């Protein structure tokens, strides 16, 4: 029987991705993975992360702010967009696997990164991966999956992309009332979603290395990519059991 899993921010941590999938005996042909965005940046192996995700037949890939910035850098040729978001490691990962002749040290002339690695150096399959990522996904049980959040007072379909991939207000609002943190109070939303699953705001900000829940909002960004000890989380949608690496 197929299962549905949700994964938080990966941030280039290929080994942690593989570890989580192995722990649940993930079936690449029949199981579904809903990945909540930010597959790239910070970690050392963004290229390999995308390669692995492309092997999953039933993948629903949500766009994160880091993914959007990387895609914009690809299609515009402006690699300078990456450098304030940990994109140095992403660029180095792609150079290593796609064009090793350009694998000079980052500490050399930065302009080389801005001009020498361009659209033709990226695999077309990867460009399409980032292009086709969804801003949000709603399943048949009216659960919503989104990277950053949304304005709960408006319908999600009407909202600007910024709200969906950058804004943290949904999570901050859910955390603002004790009743919601204790899961005794329903979080009112225009769309009346059953449950909402987000990434983007690391639970480590709240001294937690495991997923956090406030009312019906689940946060699965457990800090992966921040440093070696921070964890990647994979959760079973039905049982809410999770594994980490």
């Amino acid at each position: 029987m197929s299962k549905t899993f949700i994964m938080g921010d990966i941030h280039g941590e290929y080994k942690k991705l593989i570890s989580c999938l192995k722990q649940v005996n993930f079936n690449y042909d029949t199981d579904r993975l809903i990945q909540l965005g930010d597959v790239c940046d910070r970690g050392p192996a963004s290229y390999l992360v995308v390669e692995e995700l492309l092997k999953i037949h039933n993948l629903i890939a949500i766009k994160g702010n880091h993914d959007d910035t990387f895609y914009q850098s690809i299609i515009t040729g402006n690699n300078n967009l990456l450098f304030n978001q940990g994109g140095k490691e992403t660029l180095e990962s792609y150079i290593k696997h796609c064009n090793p002749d350009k694998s000079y040290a980052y500490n050399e002339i930065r302009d080389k990164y801005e001009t020498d690695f361009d659209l033709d150096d990226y695999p077309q399959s990867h460009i399409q991966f980032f292009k086709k990522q969804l801003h949000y996904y709603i399943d048949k049980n009216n659960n919503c999956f989104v990277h950053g959040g949304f304005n709960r007072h408006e319908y999600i379909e009407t909202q600007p992309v910024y709200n969906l991939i950058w804004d943290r207000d949904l999570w901050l609002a859910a955390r603002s009332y004790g009743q919601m943190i204790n899961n005794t109070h329903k979080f009112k939303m225009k769309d009346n979603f059953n449950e909402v699953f987000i990434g983007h705001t690391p639970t480590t900000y709240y001294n937690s290395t495991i997923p956090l829940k406030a009312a019906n909002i689940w946060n699965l960004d457990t800090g992966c990519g921040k440093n070696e000890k921070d964890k990647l989380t994979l959760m079973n949608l039905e049982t809410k059991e999770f594994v980490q690496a």
Side-chain angles (χ1 to χ4, degrees):
M1 183 176 179
S2 64
K3 300 176 182 178
T4 296
F5 296 92
I6 319 158
M7 178 172 280
D9 302 34
I10 304 173
H11 282 301
E13 294 288 356
Y14 172 73
K15 291 181 180 179
K16 294 181 181 181
L17 167 63
I18 296 298
S19 175
C20 283
L21 294 174
K22 286 184 175 179
Q23 287 181 65
V24 298
N25 295 314
F26 186 85
N27 189 312
Y28 282 61
D29 294 322
T30 60
D31 288 340
R32 170 179 286 185
L33 177 65
I34 303 172
Q35 201 285 316
L36 294 172
D38 280 1
V39 303
C40 63
D41 292 353
R42 296 179 179 157
S46 293
Y47 171 89
L48 293 177
V49 167
V50 176
E51 280 287 286
E52 198 66 28
L53 292 176
L54 286 171
K55 298 176 185 178
I56 297 175
H57 183 69
N58 296 313
L59 173 70
I60 295 173
I62 306 298
K63 186 181 293 294
N65 56 302
H66 287 259
D67 306 324
D68 186 59
T69 300
F70 181 45
Y71 178 65
Q72 293 302 321
S73 78
I74 293 174
I75 62 175
T76 63
N78 182 9
N79 292 329
N80 192 51
L81 291 171
L82 296 171
F83 287 96
N84 292 328
Q85 293 210 55
K88 175 177 80 73
E89 292 82 3
T90 299
L91 197 53
E92 288 178 339
S93 175
Y94 274 85
I95 290 173
K96 174 182 177 181
H97 290 280
C98 301
N99 199 332
D101 290 340
K102 296 182 180 179
S103 59
Y104 29 69
Y106 168 72
N107 289 330
E108 293 184 11
I109 301 173
R110 178 168 149 175
D111 286 348
K112 290 182 179 179
Y113 280 88
E114 297 175 357
T115 60
D116 283 5
F117 202 71
D118 54 32
L119 189 65
D120 293 334
D121 290 309
Y122 294 98
Q124 188 60 225
S125 60
H126 287 226
I127 296 174
Q128 291 301 309
F129 171 86
F130 286 104
K131 179 180 181 180
K132 293 179 179 179
Q133 283 177 306
L134 304 177
H135 291 132
Y136 62 89
Y137 172 70
I138 302 170
D139 70 10
K140 63 181 181 181
N141 295 317
N142 202 34
N143 295 312
C144 178
F145 306 84
V146 63
H147 180 66
F150 51 85
N151 180 346
R152 66 192 179 102
H153 303 294
E154 304 292 339
Y155 291 115
I156 194 170
E157 64 181 12
T158 68
Q159 302 198 25
V161 170
Y162 179 88
N163 286 9
L164 306 174
I165 67 175
W166 280 98
D167 205 335
R168 304 181 195 274
D169 287 351
L170 180 75
W171 178 245
L172 296 177
R175 292 278 305 182
S176 64
Y177 299 100
Q179 301 98 317
M180 293 181 182
I181 297 175
N182 296 326
N183 303 315
T184 60
H185 189 280
K186 185 173 176 61
F187 197 48
K188 293 182 179 180
M189 293 173 278
K190 189 83 168 181
D191 283 292
N192 198 29
F193 291 125
N194 178 33
E195 291 185 301
V196 177
F197 298 84
I198 64 170
H200 189 49
T201 304
T203 61
T204 51
Y205 290 176
Y206 303 90
N207 297 315
S208 176
T209 59
I210 63 173
L212 292 177
K213 184 183 182 187
N216 54 342
I217 313 294
W218 283 93
N219 184 348
L220 269 67
D221 179 3
T222 46
C224 185
K226 289 287 188 181
N227 56 60
E228 185 61 32
K229 69 178 181 179
D230 287 328
K231 298 177 180 179
L232 176 63
T233 294
L234 178 67
M235 175 181 284
N236 184 304
L237 174 59
E238 181 178 0
T239 67
K240 302 302 187 295
E241 296 174 331
F242 64 88
V243 297
Q244 295 184 300

